[in-house]
Amino acid sequence: MTTWSAPIWLYLWLAGMAGGAYFAAFLAERFTGNGNGQLLRIATYLGAPLAVVGVILLVADLGNPIRFWHLLTVFKAVSPMSIGTWILLIWIGVAVVMAILWWAEASLSQEAGRGLRQITGALSWIGFVFAILVMAYTGVLLATSSQPLWTGTLLLPALFVASAVSTGVAMLIISGATGRTRLVPGKMVSRLAEADAILIVVELVVLVGYAIWLSASSTAGTSEALALLTSGALALPFWLGVVLLALLIPLGLEFASWGKKLETGGVWRTVITSSVFVILGGLILRAVIVIGGQI
Amino acid sequence: MPKARLIDTSKCTACRGCQVACKQWNELPAEETKQLGTYENPPHLSGNTWIKVEFRERPGEWLFRAHTCMHCVDASCEKVCPTGAISHQGEVVLIDQKQCIGCGYCVLACPYNVPHRDEITGTARKCTFCIDRIGNGLEPACAKTCPPGAIKFGERADLIAMAEQRVQTLISDYGYPNANVYGADELGGLHTIYVLTERPSALGLPETPEVATSTVLAQWLSGVVTAGVLAALPFWLLFKRKKQIEAEQKSKVEGGVR
């Protein structure tokens, strides 16, 4: 009898990817300073609908979906689900307003457009802060419970954030590098792929830390929970889906194409393949953790 | 003075009268059950089963423990509930069936695995401490019915004193060196107190239960710091730093030309 099933792990995956893509696009454009906003637009236009689909899944999974509005009558700082409701609402709201302003800007004169651009610029900072919270909250939600796999360490939010940014970058790479007209310059895509390689290393380190912490924890049930992943019922999806598909294979592929021009040889194909693996692996990670915590 | 319930596992005969009384008073439907190889039934608590005698077998002896809501002072279910549907009414932890949206968070947050989502109502349900009985000066149905007197209801302080005395007797006269009282201090004090003949873990209870929200701030910090530092680092390295290096190289080349 599982309390949180497929809609929940699908949601964790979608919301993480949406927040991660926004986070990555925002930083990439702020740091280069010459962002034409194209990457952030892609992240927003794809991320907001993904988050909305996630929210629909969450509501559908409630025992009483019609009562979902009860969530909006309460703000409770100690309950991650209550906080998360508001985080999601605000982030989606900011993204929608930004999309509308971008759309309005395109139909305005240069002069009038400047004012709108300043508003979207300020909003994009709010969006950035809330994108971080969207990514972090999914891990905090699980970690604030009594299931040893989730509560045994302080690293589950870290693991989910690392995976969220990694899958978000992968989504940007795929949307930027495919299609008849390239939406994002090849150089940007190459750098995103390199960033993803480093992110995967970060995620790998966090995952190893998480496993060591679980095995060393004195909390009852943590070593059994870890064994479930490494040698128990979930060993196959864990080793094949998470370790190989989400981490080791993309890591190899990204480093193989490191520094190479996207247009040369099979580099383009390698980067896309690796990104698809990262996204699928991110889904399997959420599924393994959500299912594993309830066995 | 707060009331409480004392469950003395050394007196329990696993007759399961408490299960029946609970179902009758609270008008809970029967469950489709499974043969587990013993008289233990149904397999676990559910939205329709609010108390259940758990059986644990060991050589030469059965260990029985009625599993039900502890009515904790620091109740994890109440803390995580996102709609405020779970609240304390005096010592009783109650789920407001009109407020509950059935998100399942309390189910996963409870250290004792007590609340469960009911498929029919779509809400989380659990023992109400028979609040409609105790509010009228009666004892809960489980305590009222218990034939060997293993479940008692009364003043919490009196029950704890009684439990401690019983534990002394179990240790000195009946050969239970591990006997102990559970619930006097756990989670701010429980309102279901146990006399256990064995260590809590041997009877399916956590030795050192934690409130689900005990690490919530640290967990938030973990996620936000990871995003702000570890995940932001590659972007700084590849987008900001690389651009700076390129700019420096470019200015050097230009300097050389001049």
Side-chain angles (χ1 to χ4, degrees), chain A residues 186-265:
Chain A
K187 203 171 161 192
M188 195 76 145
V189 174
S190 300
R191 283 200 184 156
L192 283 174
E194 289 165 15
D196 209 16
I198 302 178
L199 286 167
I200 291 168
V201 173
V202 169
E203 192 180 342
L204 202 55
V205 170
V206 175
L207 183 66
V208 170
Y210 173 73
I212 293 173
W213 195 331
L214 275 181
S215 66
S217 170
S218 59
T219 313
T222 44
S223 39
E224 290 87 342
L226 178 65
L228 195 68
L229 301 192
T230 54
S231 55
L234 296 168
L236 196 69
F238 177 74
W239 290 109
L240 286 185
V242 178
V243 177
L244 274 182
L245 197 66
L247 299 168
L248 294 182
I249 294 176
L251 193 63
L253 293 176
E254 305 275 22
F255 275 116
S257 51
W258 186 284
K260 290 185 187 147
K261 271 214 159 77
L262 204 61
E263 283 74 17
T264 50

Side-chain angles (χ1 to χ4, degrees), chain A residues 50-95:
Chain A
L50 286 185
V52 170
V53 170
V55 169
I56 292 169
L57 286 171
L58 281 186
V59 170
D61 193 55
L62 293 176
N64 266 306
I66 301 159
R67 293 185 184 171
F68 81 95
W69 59 271
H70 290 191
L71 287 164
L72 307 175
T73 61
V74 177
F75 178 85
K76 205 167 149 187
V78 76
S79 167
M81 194 183 283
S82 173
I83 300 248
T85 305
W86 293 104
I87 289 173
L88 271 173
L89 201 71
I90 293 172
W91 188 74
I92 292 172
V94 167

Side-chain angles (χ1 to χ4, degrees), chain B residues 18-119:
Chain B
C18 52
Q19 293 181 203
V20 176
C22 177
K23 290 246 177 204
Q24 286 195 327
W25 178 261
N26 294 296
E27 299 182 321
L28 299 170
E31 302 228 15
E32 203 163 310
T33 58
K34 239 186 358 211
Q35 170 61 266
L36 294 172
T38 66
Y39 287 116
E40 181 174 6
N41 230 334
H44 42 67
L45 291 183
S46 77
N48 288 325
T49 299
W50 298 347
I51 187 168
K52 184 226 155 183
V53 180
E54 288 184 352
F55 289 34
R56 285 181 176 77
E57 192 178 9
R58 55 180 202 177
E61 192 180 15
W62 281 103
L63 299 176
F64 304 129
R65 179 176 70 88
H67 180 205
T68 184
C69 181
M70 302 296 212
H71 298 283
C72 318
V73 167
D74 293 329
S76 299
C77 57
E78 180 188 22
K79 290 192 195 308
V80 301
C81 177
T83 64
I86 306 183
S87 65
H88 271 91
Q89 308 290 323
E91 53 272 73
V92 182
V93 177
L94 215 56
I95 305 177
D96 183 342
Q97 293 299 311
K98 291 202 171 73
Q99 273 295 316
C100 177
I101 58 174
C103 68
Y105 206 176
C106 56
V107 179
L108 295 165
C110 174
Y112 299 104
N113 195 20
V114 168
H116 283 80
R117 197 155 55 180
D118 181 51
E119 298 308 322

Side-chain angles (χ1 to χ4, degrees), chain B residues 7-256:
Chain B
I7 302 181
D8 185 343
T9 61
S10 70
K11 289 184 178 166
C12 177
T13 60
C15 71
R16 303 181 300 158
C18 52
Q19 293 181 203
V20 176
C22 177
K23 290 246 177 204
Q24 286 195 327
W25 178 261
N26 294 296
E27 299 182 321
L28 299 170
E31 302 228 15
E32 203 163 310
T33 58
K34 239 186 358 211
Q35 170 61 266
L36 294 172
T38 66
Y39 287 116
E40 181 174 6
N41 230 334
H44 42 67
L45 291 183
S46 77
N48 288 325
T49 299
W50 298 347
I51 187 168
K52 184 226 155 183
V53 180
E54 288 184 352
F55 289 34
R56 285 181 176 77
E57 192 178 9
R58 55 180 202 177
E61 192 180 15
W62 281 103
L63 299 176
F64 304 129
R65 179 176 70 88
H67 180 205
T68 184
C69 181
M70 302 296 212
H71 298 283
C72 318
V73 167
D74 293 329
S76 299
C77 57
E78 180 188 22
K79 290 192 195 308
V80 301
C81 177
T83 64
I86 306 183
S87 65
H88 271 91
Q89 308 290 323
E91 53 272 73
V92 182
V93 177
L94 215 56
I95 305 177
D96 183 342
Q97 293 299 311
K98 291 202 171 73
Q99 273 295 316
C100 177
I101 58 174
C103 68
Y105 206 176
C106 56
V107 179
L108 295 165
C110 174
Y112 299 104
N113 195 20
V114 168
H116 283 80
R117 197 155 55 180
D118 181 51
E119 298 308 322
I120 308 291
T121 64
T123 52
R125 302 176 79 193
K126 65 165 193 69
C127 161
T128 63
F129 225 166
C130 284
I131 194 163
D132 45 352
R133 292 175 58 91
I134 65 174
N136 288 301
L138 299 169
E139 52 190 337
C142 56
K144 174 79 179 168
T145 203
C146 183
I151 305 181
K152 288 194 174 70
F153 179 76
E155 296 291 333
R156 186 168 185 272
D158 297 349
L159 291 180
I160 290 174
M162 194 189 291
E164 274 160 0
Q165 208 176 356
R166 174 70 181 164
V167 162
Q168 285 315 314
T169 313
L170 285 172
I171 293 171
S172 58
D173 297 358
Y174 291 94
Y176 288 104
N178 298 325
N180 63 96
V181 179
Y182 189 94
D185 305 314
E186 280 79 0
L187 300 171
L190 308 177
H191 289 92
T192 296
I193 311 284
Y194 280 104
V195 167
L196 303 177
T197 51
E198 278 303 328
R199 294 302 312 155
S201 53
L203 284 140
L205 288 167
E207 299 269 348
T208 50
E210 298 258 9
V211 187
T213 51
S214 60
T215 62
V216 68
L217 268 180
Q219 300 285 3
W220 273 112
L221 211 61
S222 156
V224 171
V225 167
T226 305
V229 180
L230 287 179
L233 185 73
F235 296 95
W236 184 82
L237 281 175
L238 290 163
F239 290 89
K240 178 120 183 166
R241 190 73 198 117
K242 225 172 184 174
K243 198 173 171 242
Q244 281 172 352
I245 293 167
E246 279 168 7
E248 278 162 24
Q249 282 169 348
K250 208 176 165 190
S251 69
K252 263 185 208 155
V253 171
E254 279 166 3

